[in-house]
Amino acid sequence: MTIDQLNKAKIPIVKIDKNLEKFHGKVLFPEKLEEANKTLSKVGLPALPGGTQNTTTAQSSDLQKEFISALKEE
Amino acid sequence: MRHDRYEYRTERLSLFYEFISEGPKGQIKKIVEYTPATIQNVYNLAFGDYDEMIGGINDKIITNNGDSQKVLATVASTVYAFTGKYPEAWIYVTGSTVVRTRLYRMGLTNNLTEISNDFYVFGLIEDNWEQFIVGEDYEAFLGNKENS
């Protein structure tokens, strides 16, 4: 990606800190995540404006566990 | 957001961000976390004070370091960083209290022109999502990056 493209994309350039990898596999806000999942399971996601199809589909909690498990393996 | 923000760091997966809040209460380490929710491509955004003593987040205390706008601007910047890496992601956020949710709503309102250029923003009210409208008392927020 060129600098011009980066500027247009508004993606910040962020330093990587390996020390933060200590959080991999952890959920620091479990209560908030639980609340989020509870709400989302009830209300779902909105349709995007302009007729854009929302291709996100509901998955079981196994996906989340798999994600966290994958992080632990790294 | 155009507001002044803190410098922050992340790790290679861009799920965790860290920055230092500076104010009358001193230097306070803040952590921003994006956690996958049970719905695919949806991530819960949460942030709080990192407590070295417990090695985790202490979200029960109210720090009040006099820099809430700068903290919000910093967190908003991490949304751009995160969605730069995960452009299909939906970001879900709500406050741990009604007051904090209102604070986030104010932050969105104050920066809506810029944010809406880049993201679709929705607010949750009475179990329904609607496109964010200024003045509505939403319970939670959801954002998705607009395709360029």
Side-chain angles (χ1 to χ4, degrees), chain B residues 31-52:
Chain B
I31 298 290
V32 182
E33 177 192 48
Y34 292 83
T35 315
T38 47
I39 298 181
Q40 188 179 21
N41 271 343
V42 179
Y43 293 80
N44 181 61
L45 163 60
F47 64 96
D49 297 353
Y50 183 71
D51 190 333
E52 301 277 3

PDB file of all heavy atoms in Angstrom, chain B residues 31-52:
ATOM      1  N   ILE B  31      -6.268  -0.266  28.469  1.00  0.00           N
ATOM      2  CA  ILE B  31      -6.280  -1.365  27.504  1.00  0.00           C
ATOM      3  C   ILE B  31      -7.585  -1.324  26.720  1.00  0.00           C
ATOM      4  O   ILE B  31      -8.671  -1.175  27.304  1.00  0.00           O
ATOM      5  CB  ILE B  31      -6.162  -2.731  28.209  1.00  0.00           C
ATOM      6  CG1 ILE B  31      -4.840  -2.821  28.963  1.00  0.00           C
ATOM      7  CG2 ILE B  31      -6.293  -3.870  27.196  1.00  0.00           C
ATOM      8  CD1 ILE B  31      -3.615  -2.916  28.105  1.00  0.00           C
ATOM      9  N   VAL B  32      -7.463  -1.468  25.408  1.00  0.00           N
ATOM     10  CA  VAL B  32      -8.628  -1.594  24.530  1.00  0.00           C
ATOM     11  C   VAL B  32      -8.630  -3.016  23.983  1.00  0.00           C
ATOM     12  O   VAL B  32      -7.586  -3.514  23.540  1.00  0.00           O
ATOM     13  CB  VAL B  32      -8.561  -0.601  23.348  1.00  0.00           C
ATOM     14  CG1 VAL B  32      -9.815  -0.716  22.488  1.00  0.00           C
ATOM     15  CG2 VAL B  32      -8.379   0.821  23.853  1.00  0.00           C
ATOM     16  N   GLU B  33      -9.778  -3.651  24.040  1.00  0.00           N
ATOM     17  CA  GLU B  33      -9.852  -5.051  23.619  1.00  0.00           C
ATOM     18  C   GLU B  33     -10.965  -5.242  22.601  1.00  0.00           C
ATOM     19  O   GLU B  33     -12.073  -4.728  22.764  1.00  0.00           O
ATOM     20  CB  GLU B  33     -10.137  -5.936  24.839  1.00  0.00           C
ATOM     21  CG  GLU B  33     -10.306  -7.410  24.499  1.00  0.00           C
ATOM     22  CD  GLU B  33     -10.857  -8.210  25.661  1.00  0.00           C
ATOM     23  OE1 GLU B  33     -11.854  -7.775  26.263  1.00  0.00           O
ATOM     24  OE2 GLU B  33     -10.301  -9.282  25.956  1.00  0.00           O
ATOM     25  N   TYR B  34     -10.669  -5.977  21.535  1.00  0.00           N
ATOM     26  CA  TYR B  34     -11.677  -6.406  20.571  1.00  0.00           C
ATOM     27  C   TYR B  34     -11.786  -7.918  20.705  1.00  0.00           C
ATOM     28  O   TYR B  34     -10.819  -8.642  20.460  1.00  0.00           O
ATOM     29  CB  TYR B  34     -11.266  -6.029  19.143  1.00  0.00           C
ATOM     30  CG  TYR B  34     -11.262  -4.544  18.896  1.00  0.00           C
ATOM     31  CD1 TYR B  34     -10.164  -3.767  19.260  1.00  0.00           C
ATOM     32  CD2 TYR B  34     -12.356  -3.907  18.320  1.00  0.00           C
ATOM     33  CE1 TYR B  34     -10.163  -2.397  19.048  1.00  0.00           C
ATOM     34  CE2 TYR B  34     -12.365  -2.537  18.097  1.00  0.00           C
ATOM     35  CZ  TYR B  34     -11.263  -1.787  18.468  1.00  0.00           C
ATOM     36  OH  TYR B  34     -11.263  -0.428  18.271  1.00  0.00           O
ATOM     37  N   THR B  35     -12.971  -8.384  21.096  1.00  0.00           N
ATOM     38  CA  THR B  35     -13.161  -9.816  21.339  1.00  0.00           C
ATOM     39  C   THR B  35     -14.210 -10.354  20.383  1.00  0.00           C
ATOM     40  O   THR B  35     -15.283  -9.751  20.254  1.00  0.00           O
ATOM     41  CB  THR B  35     -13.655 -10.061  22.775  1.00  0.00           C
ATOM     42  OG1 THR B  35     -12.896  -9.262  23.670  1.00  0.00           O
ATOM     43  CG2 THR B  35     -13.510 -11.514  23.163  1.00  0.00           C
ATOM     44  N   PRO B  36     -13.939 -11.478  19.727  1.00  0.00           N
ATOM     45  CA  PRO B  36     -14.962 -12.017  18.828  1.00  0.00           C
ATOM     46  C   PRO B  36     -16.204 -12.440  19.598  1.00  0.00           C
ATOM     47  O   PRO B  36     -16.122 -13.088  20.639  1.00  0.00           O
ATOM     48  CB  PRO B  36     -14.269 -13.223  18.181  1.00  0.00           C
ATOM     49  CG  PRO B  36     -13.113 -13.528  19.043  1.00  0.00           C
ATOM     50  CD  PRO B  36     -12.722 -12.278  19.747  1.00  0.00           C
ATOM     51  N   ALA B  37     -17.344 -12.042  19.066  1.00  0.00           N
ATOM     52  CA  ALA B  37     -18.612 -12.439  19.656  1.00  0.00           C
ATOM     53  C   ALA B  37     -19.048 -13.760  19.033  1.00  0.00           C
ATOM     54  O   ALA B  37     -18.364 -14.310  18.163  1.00  0.00           O
ATOM     55  CB  ALA B  37     -19.666 -11.349  19.404  1.00  0.00           C
ATOM     56  N   THR B  38     -20.179 -14.275  19.471  1.00  0.00           N
ATOM     57  CA  THR B  38     -20.633 -15.550  18.937  1.00  0.00           C
ATOM     58  C   THR B  38     -21.106 -15.431  17.485  1.00  0.00           C
ATOM     59  O   THR B  38     -21.064 -16.405  16.741  1.00  0.00           O
ATOM     60  CB  THR B  38     -21.777 -16.141  19.782  1.00  0.00           C
ATOM     61  OG1 THR B  38     -22.735 -15.122  20.024  1.00  0.00           O
ATOM     62  CG2 THR B  38     -21.246 -16.645  21.107  1.00  0.00           C
ATOM     63  N   ILE B  39     -21.538 -14.254  17.071  1.00  0.00           N
ATOM     64  CA  ILE B  39     -21.892 -14.049  15.663  1.00  0.00           C
ATOM     65  C   ILE B  39     -20.597 -13.761  14.898  1.00  0.00           C
ATOM     66  O   ILE B  39     -19.795 -12.916  15.289  1.00  0.00           O
ATOM     67  CB  ILE B  39     -22.889 -12.877  15.482  1.00  0.00           C
ATOM     68  CG1 ILE B  39     -24.193 -13.174  16.198  1.00  0.00           C
ATOM     69  CG2 ILE B  39     -23.151 -12.625  14.005  1.00  0.00           C
ATOM     70  CD1 ILE B  39     -25.240 -12.088  16.047  1.00  0.00           C
ATOM     71  N   GLN B  40     -20.454 -14.478  13.799  1.00  0.00           N
ATOM     72  CA  GLN B  40     -19.220 -14.345  13.019  1.00  0.00           C
ATOM     73  C   GLN B  40     -18.997 -12.908  12.579  1.00  0.00           C
ATOM     74  O   GLN B  40     -19.942 -12.201  12.195  1.00  0.00           O
ATOM     75  CB  GLN B  40     -19.333 -15.245  11.785  1.00  0.00           C
ATOM     76  CG  GLN B  40     -18.061 -15.354  10.980  1.00  0.00           C
ATOM     77  CD  GLN B  40     -18.243 -16.273   9.784  1.00  0.00           C
ATOM     78  OE1 GLN B  40     -19.367 -16.512   9.340  1.00  0.00           O
ATOM     79  NE2 GLN B  40     -17.158 -16.801   9.280  1.00  0.00           N
ATOM     80  N   ASN B  41     -17.751 -12.471  12.629  1.00  0.00           N
ATOM     81  CA  ASN B  41     -17.350 -11.140  12.172  1.00  0.00           C
ATOM     82  C   ASN B  41     -17.815 -10.008  13.071  1.00  0.00           C
ATOM     83  O   ASN B  41     -17.682  -8.839  12.698  1.00  0.00           O
ATOM     84  CB  ASN B  41     -17.844 -10.854  10.752  1.00  0.00           C
ATOM     85  CG  ASN B  41     -16.846 -11.309   9.712  1.00  0.00           C
ATOM     86  OD1 ASN B  41     -15.682 -11.534  10.035  1.00  0.00           O
ATOM     87  ND2 ASN B  41     -17.287 -11.436   8.485  1.00  0.00           N
ATOM     88  N   VAL B  42     -18.359 -10.317  14.220  1.00  0.00           N
ATOM     89  CA  VAL B  42     -18.760  -9.286  15.165  1.00  0.00           C
ATOM     90  C   VAL B  42     -17.781  -9.301  16.333  1.00  0.00           C
ATOM     91  O   VAL B  42     -17.467 -10.363  16.868  1.00  0.00           O
ATOM     92  CB  VAL B  42     -20.197  -9.504  15.685  1.00  0.00           C
ATOM     93  CG1 VAL B  42     -20.570  -8.414  16.684  1.00  0.00           C
ATOM     94  CG2 VAL B  42     -21.177  -9.527  14.525  1.00  0.00           C
ATOM     95  N   TYR B  43     -17.330  -8.119  16.706  1.00  0.00           N
ATOM     96  CA  TYR B  43     -16.365  -8.000  17.789  1.00  0.00           C
ATOM     97  C   TYR B  43     -16.884  -7.023  18.830  1.00  0.00           C
ATOM     98  O   TYR B  43     -17.391  -5.949  18.486  1.00  0.00           O
ATOM     99  CB  TYR B  43     -15.012  -7.508  17.260  1.00  0.00           C
ATOM    100  CG  TYR B  43     -14.335  -8.500  16.367  1.00  0.00           C
ATOM    101  CD1 TYR B  43     -14.713  -8.637  15.034  1.00  0.00           C
ATOM    102  CD2 TYR B  43     -13.318  -9.326  16.853  1.00  0.00           C
ATOM    103  CE1 TYR B  43     -14.107  -9.562  14.213  1.00  0.00           C
ATOM    104  CE2 TYR B  43     -12.704 -10.259  16.029  1.00  0.00           C
ATOM    105  CZ  TYR B  43     -13.109 -10.369  14.710  1.00  0.00           C
ATOM    106  OH  TYR B  43     -12.506 -11.288  13.897  1.00  0.00           O
ATOM    107  N   ASN B  44     -16.748  -7.410  20.087  1.00  0.00           N
ATOM    108  CA  ASN B  44     -17.125  -6.520  21.174  1.00  0.00           C
ATOM    109  C   ASN B  44     -15.932  -5.622  21.511  1.00  0.00           C
ATOM    110  O   ASN B  44     -14.821  -6.105  21.751  1.00  0.00           O
ATOM    111  CB  ASN B  44     -17.522  -7.335  22.401  1.00  0.00           C
ATOM    112  CG  ASN B  44     -17.949  -6.436  23.551  1.00  0.00           C
ATOM    113  OD1 ASN B  44     -18.913  -5.680  23.439  1.00  0.00           O
ATOM    114  ND2 ASN B  44     -17.230  -6.498  24.663  1.00  0.00           N
ATOM    115  N   LEU B  45     -16.170  -4.329  21.503  1.00  0.00           N
ATOM    116  CA  LEU B  45     -15.129  -3.369  21.867  1.00  0.00           C
ATOM    117  C   LEU B  45     -15.307  -2.972  23.321  1.00  0.00           C
ATOM    118  O   LEU B  45     -16.398  -2.567  23.731  1.00  0.00           O
ATOM    119  CB  LEU B  45     -15.238  -2.134  20.969  1.00  0.00           C
ATOM    120  CG  LEU B  45     -14.526  -0.845  21.416  1.00  0.00           C
ATOM    121  CD1 LEU B  45     -13.038  -1.054  21.561  1.00  0.00           C
ATOM    122  CD2 LEU B  45     -14.813   0.288  20.425  1.00  0.00           C
ATOM    123  N   ALA B  46     -14.240  -3.111  24.093  1.00  0.00           N
ATOM    124  CA  ALA B  46     -14.286  -2.709  25.502  1.00  0.00           C
ATOM    125  C   ALA B  46     -12.940  -2.104  25.874  1.00  0.00           C
ATOM    126  O   ALA B  46     -11.911  -2.442  25.277  1.00  0.00           O
ATOM    127  CB  ALA B  46     -14.588  -3.910  26.395  1.00  0.00           C
ATOM    128  N   PHE B  47     -12.950  -1.207  26.828  1.00  0.00           N
ATOM    129  CA  PHE B  47     -11.686  -0.637  27.288  1.00  0.00           C
ATOM    130  C   PHE B  47     -11.791  -0.260  28.756  1.00  0.00           C
ATOM    131  O   PHE B  47     -12.887  -0.029  29.287  1.00  0.00           O
ATOM    132  CB  PHE B  47     -11.264   0.563  26.429  1.00  0.00           C
ATOM    133  CG  PHE B  47     -12.196   1.738  26.480  1.00  0.00           C
ATOM    134  CD1 PHE B  47     -11.965   2.806  27.340  1.00  0.00           C
ATOM    135  CD2 PHE B  47     -13.311   1.787  25.662  1.00  0.00           C
ATOM    136  CE1 PHE B  47     -12.819   3.892  27.376  1.00  0.00           C
ATOM    137  CE2 PHE B  47     -14.168   2.864  25.686  1.00  0.00           C
ATOM    138  CZ  PHE B  47     -13.915   3.928  26.540  1.00  0.00           C
ATOM    139  N   GLY B  48     -10.635  -0.217  29.413  1.00  0.00           N
ATOM    140  CA  GLY B  48     -10.625   0.113  30.837  1.00  0.00           C
ATOM    141  C   GLY B  48      -9.212   0.274  31.348  1.00  0.00           C
ATOM    142  O   GLY B  48      -8.239   0.198  30.590  1.00  0.00           O
ATOM    143  N   ASP B  49      -9.118   0.497  32.647  1.00  0.00           N
ATOM    144  CA  ASP B  49      -7.820   0.700  33.285  1.00  0.00           C
ATOM    145  C   ASP B  49      -7.161  -0.633  33.574  1.00  0.00           C
ATOM    146  O   ASP B  49      -7.784  -1.534  34.157  1.00  0.00           O
ATOM    147  CB  ASP B  49      -7.993   1.458  34.610  1.00  0.00           C
ATOM    148  CG  ASP B  49      -8.549   2.849  34.411  1.00  0.00           C
ATOM    149  OD1 ASP B  49      -8.673   3.281  33.248  1.00  0.00           O
ATOM    150  OD2 ASP B  49      -8.854   3.496  35.425  1.00  0.00           O
ATOM    151  N   TYR B  50      -5.905  -0.735  33.195  1.00  0.00           N
ATOM    152  CA  TYR B  50      -5.171  -1.970  33.468  1.00  0.00           C
ATOM    153  C   TYR B  50      -4.571  -1.884  34.863  1.00  0.00           C
ATOM    154  O   TYR B  50      -3.907  -0.911  35.203  1.00  0.00           O
ATOM    155  CB  TYR B  50      -4.065  -2.190  32.429  1.00  0.00           C
ATOM    156  CG  TYR B  50      -3.322  -3.480  32.617  1.00  0.00           C
ATOM    157  CD1 TYR B  50      -3.940  -4.691  32.327  1.00  0.00           C
ATOM    158  CD2 TYR B  50      -2.015  -3.504  33.079  1.00  0.00           C
ATOM    159  CE1 TYR B  50      -3.270  -5.896  32.500  1.00  0.00           C
ATOM    160  CE2 TYR B  50      -1.339  -4.702  33.251  1.00  0.00           C
ATOM    161  CZ  TYR B  50      -1.965  -5.893  32.953  1.00  0.00           C
ATOM    162  OH  TYR B  50      -1.305  -7.077  33.132  1.00  0.00           O
ATOM    163  N   ASP B  51      -4.832  -2.894  35.655  1.00  0.00           N
ATOM    164  CA  ASP B  51      -4.337  -2.933  37.026  1.00  0.00           C
ATOM    165  C   ASP B  51      -3.175  -3.920  37.093  1.00  0.00           C
ATOM    166  O   ASP B  51      -3.382  -5.126  36.968  1.00  0.00           O
ATOM    167  CB  ASP B  51      -5.481  -3.357  37.961  1.00  0.00           C
ATOM    168  CG  ASP B  51      -5.124  -3.197  39.427  1.00  0.00           C
ATOM    169  OD1 ASP B  51      -3.922  -3.270  39.762  1.00  0.00           O
ATOM    170  OD2 ASP B  51      -6.043  -3.008  40.232  1.00  0.00           O
ATOM    171  N   GLU B  52      -1.962  -3.374  37.308  1.00  0.00           N
ATOM    172  CA  GLU B  52      -0.769  -4.239  37.338  1.00  0.00           C
ATOM    173  C   GLU B  52      -0.852  -5.235  38.496  1.00  0.00           C
ATOM    174  O   GLU B  52      -0.366  -6.355  38.406  1.00  0.00           O
ATOM    175  CB  GLU B  52       0.494  -3.383  37.505  1.00  0.00           C
ATOM    176  CG  GLU B  52       0.707  -2.344  36.417  1.00  0.00           C
ATOM    177  CD  GLU B  52       1.378  -2.905  35.167  1.00  0.00           C
ATOM    178  OE1 GLU B  52       1.628  -4.118  35.113  1.00  0.00           O
ATOM    179  OE2 GLU B  52       1.621  -2.127  34.242  1.00  0.00           O
TER     180      GLU B  52
END
